[in-house]
Amino acid sequence: SLGGRRAEPITSRRTLGLLAAAGFGLSATTVIVACEVRSYMLAIAFVLVAFRFYLRMIHSESGLRDHLFFSAAVSAAIVTLYATVFFLVAAMIISFVIAVLRRDLGRKFLRLGAAFAAPLLVFAIAYRHHMWQWTHALNYMPELYFDRARDTLSGFLLNGIRQEFNLFSPLA
């Protein structure tokens, strides 16, 4: 499976990669998300492709091809689903930490920065366009907006965290 092949390079054994793929593929959240007619699964596929090239970029002396494919896959994932920008931010932070720990702030770090530049630009342009188009409140989800008359800031944040936890946790 695609997930198993992506998990294999970061595990100590091939069976752990397959176990990771099975856990991902059979999790209730993945099944529920896959049943919805939305762009989530396409975004996940793009992120898995980007992750493959990201691992090649940080583990070995990779070529320009790996950087270009990573950048293109992350850009496609961001256009498909904005939330995948969190993957990009995590990859940027991890790359910076690895570069500092390896004391490799030279050519490789600059190539990583160039690989991150295009997806960041795609995100900025798409998000700006989206926010210009959707700056008004949507009528079908008023309970998800902060209302000063109804909510305290801490209560609103805790409720949002609880809802996110219940969405992705088997312990609702």
Side-chain angles (χ1 to χ4, degrees):
S1 107
L2 184 62
R5 288 182 174 239
R6 296 301 71 88
E8 189 177 334
I10 58 173
T11 60
S12 57
R13 297 189 182 114
R14 180 176 177 85
T15 53
L16 289 176
L18 294 173
L19 183 61
F24 174 75
L26 299 174
S27 74
T29 302
T30 302
V31 172
I32 290 168
V33 167
C35 289
E36 294 185 18
V37 183
R38 297 190 182 206
S39 61
Y40 302 138
M41 296 312 281
L42 182 59
I44 290 170
F46 283 134
V47 167
L48 287 173
V49 169
F51 188 57
R52 173 183 184 239
F53 289 105
Y54 177 73
L55 289 176
R56 290 175 52 106
M57 287 168 30
I58 63 171
H59 281 301
S60 64
E61 190 59 39
S62 58
L64 180 62
R65 178 181 170 269
D66 296 321
H67 290 74
L68 290 174
F69 279 126
F70 167 79
S71 187
V74 172
S75 295
I78 288 171
V79 170
T80 306
L81 181 68
Y82 290 130
T84 56
V85 75
F86 291 113
F87 166 76
L88 179 64
V89 170
M92 290 170 57
I93 292 169
I94 291 168
S95 298
F96 179 74
V97 169
I98 289 172
V100 168
L101 292 177
R102 289 184 183 168
R103 299 169 201 238
D104 184 19
L105 295 173
R107 192 182 86 225
K108 189 171 186 174
F109 189 69
L110 289 174
R111 283 193 296 176
L112 283 172
F116 293 129
L120 284 172
L121 182 62
V122 166
F123 173 73
I125 291 169
Y127 191 73
R128 178 173 159 73
H129 173 72
H130 185 256
M131 291 310 294
W132 174 78
Q133 192 175 19
W134 295 99
T135 54
H136 60 282
L138 301 174
N139 293 334
Y140 63 89
M141 48 201 268
E143 68 277 358
L144 300 178
Y145 294 108
F146 179 72
D147 181 1
R148 290 183 191 270
R150 179 188 67 203
D151 302 317
T152 64
L153 182 58
S154 60
F156 177 75
L157 292 174
L158 288 173
N159 186 40
I161 291 169
R162 180 186 56 78
Q163 288 176 357
E164 286 292 319
F165 179 80
N166 288 340
L167 178 64
F168 293 106
S169 170
L171 308 170

